[in-house]
Amino acid sequence: MLIAVFDIGGTSIKYGVVDRNGSFMEEGSFPTEANQGGEAIIKKVITKSLEINKAWNIDGISISTAGQIDAVKGVVVHATDNIPDYTGMGIANSIGNATGVKVKVENDVNCAALGEYWKGAATDKKNFLCLTIGTGIGGSLILNGQLYSGSTHAAGEIGHLTLYPGGQACTCGNYGCLERYASSSALEKMINESFDSKVKVIEFFEKLRYGDKQSEVIFNRWLDDLTTGLKSVVHVLNPELIVIGGGVSAQGEFLLNHIKQSLFKKVMPNHRRNLDVRIAVHQNKANLLGAAYHYFAD
Ligand SMILES: [Zn+2]
């Protein structure tokens, strides 16, 4: 059985043709052009799906996308203005009607967690939290081996834990949310404010590795904020694993060791007894793999 998988992000739409074992027959991507709105995006996905179906005779389509998704109905429950007119779109129906095959839809952070669960960093765990640290901080929960999406498909919004009441304004309408201080873009902002000349995040981590004091101050503040947020989540959920994905996870072991050290100092002894932190195995492909798992797991 072959299916087409799509990962609809803010800048690009990745796709693939995949079998039940997670082997890819074909892979590619095209620009999202998000400003054209939800309908235009779904049209593009339909065009590509028909093309793929001609070549591979697929049995179904599974979609990973930004936005809060009702996975039962395949509908976008809520999306930010990054993709105009996306909220309310019945993705599964539109694509299903145009292609004649079964279509499933799930949120992209949830798909990343499912991808890591199926083929990545969490194959040996049943209770974990998957974090995507990028422009914001996305979170997804796998509890007792099942995706936990909440009563209105919005669970896992770890980026919006309040870290500093009355702090920086957040896109969610509140102030002082974790992602304002501990996302990749928050780190980038701090770097830009601290150094006179433009320093890229990669260069910043190089400086840090060589013991640059100015970089250490920034990094320690960022790290401290991140692990203070994680501490609360660990105390509530008592997970066995936290998987760190997103742009910043490219820093690998170096970042992992610092997060572990800082976090383990903050959590209560019984909560760290069985707690591990790992870097996501699949960076670009986790969402596509998770979409495939979401389809085949039924
Ligand atoms: Zn917020």
mmCIF file of all heavy atoms in Angstrom, residues 1-2 29 55-57 77 83 85 97 120 132 139 145 151 154 156 163 181 184 199 231 239 243 256 264 282 284:
data_model
loop_
_atom_site.group_PDB
_atom_site.id
_atom_site.type_symbol
_atom_site.label_atom_id
_atom_site.label_comp_id
_atom_site.label_asym_id
_atom_site.label_seq_id
_atom_site.Cartn_x
_atom_site.Cartn_y
_atom_site.Cartn_z
ATOM 1 N N MET A 1 0.836 -1.209 0.000
ATOM 2 C CA MET A 1 0.000 0.000 0.000
ATOM 3 C C MET A 1 0.871 1.259 0.000
ATOM 4 O O MET A 1 1.781 1.386 0.808
ATOM 5 C CB MET A 1 -0.899 -0.005 1.245
ATOM 6 C CG MET A 1 -1.858 1.159 1.262
ATOM 7 S SD MET A 1 -2.608 1.425 2.894
ATOM 8 C CE MET A 1 -4.091 0.485 2.729
ATOM 9 N N LEU A 2 0.577 2.153 -0.930
ATOM 10 C CA LEU A 2 1.325 3.408 -0.996
ATOM 11 C C LEU A 2 0.390 4.585 -0.719
ATOM 12 O O LEU A 2 -0.756 4.586 -1.144
ATOM 13 C CB LEU A 2 1.928 3.604 -2.391
ATOM 14 C CG LEU A 2 3.104 2.725 -2.801
ATOM 15 C CD1 LEU A 2 3.470 3.021 -4.246
ATOM 16 C CD2 LEU A 2 4.310 2.952 -1.895
ATOM 17 N N SER A 29 9.604 19.045 -2.740
ATOM 18 C CA SER A 29 8.951 20.165 -2.060
ATOM 19 C C SER A 29 8.664 21.291 -3.041
ATOM 20 O O SER A 29 9.263 21.347 -4.126
ATOM 21 C CB SER A 29 9.826 20.674 -0.919
ATOM 22 O OG SER A 29 10.889 21.437 -1.415
ATOM 23 N N ALA A 55 1.216 8.545 -11.238
ATOM 24 C CA ALA A 55 2.485 7.823 -11.285
ATOM 25 C C ALA A 55 2.486 6.591 -10.375
ATOM 26 O O ALA A 55 3.106 5.577 -10.693
ATOM 27 C CB ALA A 55 3.623 8.765 -10.890
ATOM 28 N N TRP A 56 1.816 6.674 -9.220
ATOM 29 C CA TRP A 56 1.977 5.619 -8.202
ATOM 30 C C TRP A 56 0.682 4.896 -7.839
ATOM 31 O O TRP A 56 0.733 3.928 -7.076
ATOM 32 C CB TRP A 56 2.577 6.226 -6.916
ATOM 33 C CG TRP A 56 3.965 6.757 -7.102
ATOM 34 C CD1 TRP A 56 4.332 8.036 -7.326
ATOM 35 C CD2 TRP A 56 5.177 5.989 -7.090
ATOM 36 N NE1 TRP A 56 5.694 8.142 -7.444
ATOM 37 C CE2 TRP A 56 6.242 6.897 -7.302
ATOM 38 C CE3 TRP A 56 5.471 4.631 -6.925
ATOM 39 C CZ2 TRP A 56 7.580 6.489 -7.347
ATOM 40 C CZ3 TRP A 56 6.801 4.231 -6.960
ATOM 41 C CH2 TRP A 56 7.838 5.152 -7.174
ATOM 42 N N ASN A 57 -0.444 5.354 -8.306
ATOM 43 C CA ASN A 57 -1.732 4.748 -7.955
ATOM 44 C C ASN A 57 -1.886 4.575 -6.433
ATOM 45 O O ASN A 57 -1.984 3.462 -5.911
ATOM 46 C CB ASN A 57 -1.864 3.390 -8.674
ATOM 47 C CG ASN A 57 -3.277 2.861 -8.587
ATOM 48 O OD1 ASN A 57 -4.217 3.634 -8.391
ATOM 49 N ND2 ASN A 57 -3.435 1.555 -8.703
ATOM 50 N N VAL A 77 -9.196 23.838 12.780
ATOM 51 C CA VAL A 77 -10.020 24.465 13.809
ATOM 52 C C VAL A 77 -9.571 25.901 14.054
ATOM 53 O O VAL A 77 -10.369 26.806 14.243
ATOM 54 C CB VAL A 77 -9.934 23.666 15.136
ATOM 55 C CG1 VAL A 77 -10.778 24.321 16.220
ATOM 56 C CG2 VAL A 77 -10.371 22.231 14.920
ATOM 57 N N ILE A 83 -1.142 31.915 7.549
ATOM 58 C CA ILE A 83 -1.856 31.435 6.358
ATOM 59 C C ILE A 83 -3.268 32.028 6.414
ATOM 60 O O ILE A 83 -4.123 31.547 7.141
ATOM 61 C CB ILE A 83 -1.925 29.894 6.316
ATOM 62 C CG1 ILE A 83 -0.519 29.287 6.376
ATOM 63 C CG2 ILE A 83 -2.656 29.439 5.052
ATOM 64 C CD1 ILE A 83 -0.493 27.764 6.386
ATOM 65 N N ASP A 85 -7.108 32.896 5.870
ATOM 66 C CA ASP A 85 -8.310 32.111 5.541
ATOM 67 C C ASP A 85 -8.114 30.598 5.673
ATOM 68 O O ASP A 85 -8.743 29.821 4.953
ATOM 69 C CB ASP A 85 -8.787 32.412 4.098
ATOM 70 C CG ASP A 85 -9.027 33.889 3.895
ATOM 71 O OD1 ASP A 85 -9.510 34.536 4.843
ATOM 72 O OD2 ASP A 85 -8.716 34.392 2.794
ATOM 73 N N ASN A 97 -12.522 14.775 -2.098
ATOM 74 C CA ASN A 97 -13.462 14.897 -3.216
ATOM 75 C C ASN A 97 -12.735 15.030 -4.553
ATOM 76 O O ASN A 97 -13.154 14.503 -5.565
ATOM 77 C CB ASN A 97 -14.381 16.115 -3.019
ATOM 78 C CG ASN A 97 -15.367 15.874 -1.888
ATOM 79 O OD1 ASN A 97 -15.617 14.731 -1.511
ATOM 80 N ND2 ASN A 97 -15.903 16.956 -1.334
ATOM 81 N N GLY A 120 11.985 7.220 15.248
ATOM 82 C CA GLY A 120 13.039 8.164 15.642
ATOM 83 C C GLY A 120 13.520 8.005 17.058
ATOM 84 O O GLY A 120 13.815 6.903 17.521
ATOM 85 N N THR A 132 9.187 21.415 19.651
ATOM 86 C CA THR A 132 9.785 21.983 18.447
ATOM 87 C C THR A 132 10.169 23.419 18.761
ATOM 88 O O THR A 132 9.305 24.276 18.946
ATOM 89 C CB THR A 132 8.781 21.937 17.281
ATOM 90 O OG1 THR A 132 8.292 20.603 17.172
ATOM 91 C CG2 THR A 132 9.440 22.323 15.976
ATOM 92 N N GLY A 139 4.551 22.097 21.187
ATOM 93 C CA GLY A 139 4.662 20.906 22.023
ATOM 94 C C GLY A 139 3.628 19.882 21.636
ATOM 95 O O GLY A 139 2.532 20.219 21.166
ATOM 96 N N GLY A 145 1.322 5.771 24.826
ATOM 97 C CA GLY A 145 1.452 5.339 23.437
ATOM 98 C C GLY A 145 0.460 5.958 22.473
ATOM 99 O O GLY A 145 0.392 5.578 21.309
ATOM 100 N N SER A 151 -9.283 18.374 24.438
ATOM 101 C CA SER A 151 -10.723 18.355 24.174
ATOM 102 C C SER A 151 -11.101 19.148 22.939
ATOM 103 O O SER A 151 -12.125 18.903 22.307
ATOM 104 C CB SER A 151 -11.485 18.891 25.389
ATOM 105 O OG SER A 151 -11.187 20.253 25.571
ATOM 106 N N ALA A 154 -6.119 21.153 20.942
ATOM 107 C CA ALA A 154 -5.172 22.252 21.177
ATOM 108 C C ALA A 154 -4.199 21.959 22.314
ATOM 109 O O ALA A 154 -3.560 22.867 22.825
ATOM 110 C CB ALA A 154 -5.955 23.531 21.466
ATOM 111 N N GLY A 156 -0.861 20.744 24.437
ATOM 112 C CA GLY A 156 0.586 20.804 24.206
ATOM 113 C C GLY A 156 1.139 22.175 23.897
ATOM 114 O O GLY A 156 2.268 22.297 23.439
ATOM 115 N N LEU A 163 5.835 32.563 31.799
ATOM 116 C CA LEU A 163 7.124 32.516 32.488
ATOM 117 C C LEU A 163 7.342 33.793 33.305
ATOM 118 O O LEU A 163 7.817 33.743 34.440
ATOM 119 C CB LEU A 163 8.241 32.351 31.451
ATOM 120 C CG LEU A 163 9.590 31.946 31.978
ATOM 121 C CD1 LEU A 163 9.535 30.549 32.588
ATOM 122 C CD2 LEU A 163 10.618 31.960 30.842
ATOM 123 N N TYR A 181 10.867 33.956 25.268
ATOM 124 C CA TYR A 181 12.183 33.971 25.925
ATOM 125 C C TYR A 181 13.055 32.776 25.561
ATOM 126 O O TYR A 181 14.272 32.850 25.681
ATOM 127 C CB TYR A 181 11.993 34.001 27.458
ATOM 128 C CG TYR A 181 11.194 35.194 27.896
ATOM 129 C CD1 TYR A 181 9.802 35.147 27.942
ATOM 130 C CD2 TYR A 181 11.831 36.406 28.198
ATOM 131 C CE1 TYR A 181 9.059 36.261 28.293
ATOM 132 C CE2 TYR A 181 11.092 37.520 28.545
ATOM 133 C CZ TYR A 181 9.701 37.447 28.593
ATOM 134 O OH TYR A 181 8.979 38.557 28.929
ATOM 135 N N SER A 184 13.965 29.727 19.369
ATOM 136 C CA SER A 184 15.150 30.081 18.565
ATOM 137 C C SER A 184 15.143 31.556 18.228
ATOM 138 O O SER A 184 16.182 32.220 18.254
ATOM 139 C CB SER A 184 15.171 29.300 17.251
ATOM 140 O OG SER A 184 15.340 27.942 17.483
ATOM 141 N N VAL A 199 25.623 38.690 14.260
ATOM 142 C CA VAL A 199 26.180 37.364 14.556
ATOM 143 C C VAL A 199 25.095 36.325 14.293
ATOM 144 O O VAL A 199 23.993 36.406 14.821
ATOM 145 C CB VAL A 199 26.625 37.274 16.045
ATOM 146 C CG1 VAL A 199 27.095 35.865 16.384
ATOM 147 C CG2 VAL A 199 27.730 38.282 16.318
ATOM 148 N N LYS A 231 10.511 22.435 33.413
ATOM 149 C CA LYS A 231 10.354 21.936 34.782
ATOM 150 C C LYS A 231 8.870 21.778 35.134
ATOM 151 O O LYS A 231 8.447 20.748 35.657
ATOM 152 C CB LYS A 231 11.008 22.911 35.768
ATOM 153 C CG LYS A 231 10.876 22.492 37.219
ATOM 154 C CD LYS A 231 11.138 23.641 38.175
ATOM 155 C CE LYS A 231 9.932 24.552 38.258
ATOM 156 N NZ LYS A 231 9.982 25.530 39.340
ATOM 157 N N PRO A 239 6.897 12.687 32.579
ATOM 158 C CA PRO A 239 7.190 11.881 31.379
ATOM 159 C C PRO A 239 8.508 11.108 31.529
ATOM 160 O O PRO A 239 9.291 11.390 32.436
ATOM 161 C CB PRO A 239 7.337 12.941 30.289
ATOM 162 C CG PRO A 239 7.861 14.142 31.017
ATOM 163 C CD PRO A 239 7.282 14.092 32.401
ATOM 164 N N VAL A 243 11.725 15.003 23.828
ATOM 165 C CA VAL A 243 12.447 15.034 22.551
ATOM 166 C C VAL A 243 12.512 16.485 22.088
ATOM 167 O O VAL A 243 11.487 17.166 22.018
ATOM 168 C CB VAL A 243 11.744 14.177 21.481
ATOM 169 C CG1 VAL A 243 12.475 14.270 20.155
ATOM 170 C CG2 VAL A 243 11.649 12.726 21.932
ATOM 171 N N LEU A 256 22.081 19.444 24.229
ATOM 172 C CA LEU A 256 21.424 18.410 25.031
ATOM 173 C C LEU A 256 22.011 18.354 26.440
ATOM 174 O O LEU A 256 21.285 18.326 27.439
ATOM 175 C CB LEU A 256 21.617 17.075 24.320
ATOM 176 C CG LEU A 256 20.817 15.898 24.829
ATOM 177 C CD1 LEU A 256 19.335 16.177 24.715
ATOM 178 C CD2 LEU A 256 21.176 14.639 24.046
ATOM 179 N N PHE A 264 17.678 18.983 35.196
ATOM 180 C CA PHE A 264 17.721 17.977 36.264
ATOM 181 C C PHE A 264 17.944 18.614 37.626
ATOM 182 O O PHE A 264 17.545 18.072 38.643
ATOM 183 C CB PHE A 264 18.780 16.903 35.964
ATOM 184 C CG PHE A 264 18.345 15.925 34.887
ATOM 185 C CD1 PHE A 264 17.335 16.251 34.003
ATOM 186 C CD2 PHE A 264 18.947 14.683 34.758
ATOM 187 C CE1 PHE A 264 16.925 15.373 33.009
ATOM 188 C CE2 PHE A 264 18.541 13.789 33.773
ATOM 189 C CZ PHE A 264 17.533 14.141 32.900
ATOM 190 N N HIS A 282 14.825 12.840 13.320
ATOM 191 C CA HIS A 282 14.440 13.316 11.988
ATOM 192 C C HIS A 282 14.146 14.803 12.055
ATOM 193 O O HIS A 282 13.242 15.212 12.767
ATOM 194 C CB HIS A 282 13.177 12.603 11.511
ATOM 195 C CG HIS A 282 13.330 11.124 11.491
ATOM 196 N ND1 HIS A 282 14.057 10.474 10.526
ATOM 197 C CD2 HIS A 282 12.873 10.167 12.323
ATOM 198 C CE1 HIS A 282 14.027 9.179 10.764
ATOM 199 N NE2 HIS A 282 13.323 8.964 11.855
ATOM 200 N N ASN A 284 13.884 17.214 9.047
ATOM 201 C CA ASN A 284 12.933 17.627 8.008
ATOM 202 C C ASN A 284 11.848 16.597 7.755
ATOM 203 O O ASN A 284 10.771 16.920 7.313
ATOM 204 C CB ASN A 284 13.689 17.898 6.706
ATOM 205 C CG ASN A 284 14.546 19.128 6.835
ATOM 206 O OD1 ASN A 284 14.130 20.097 7.449
ATOM 207 N ND2 ASN A 284 15.758 19.076 6.305
#
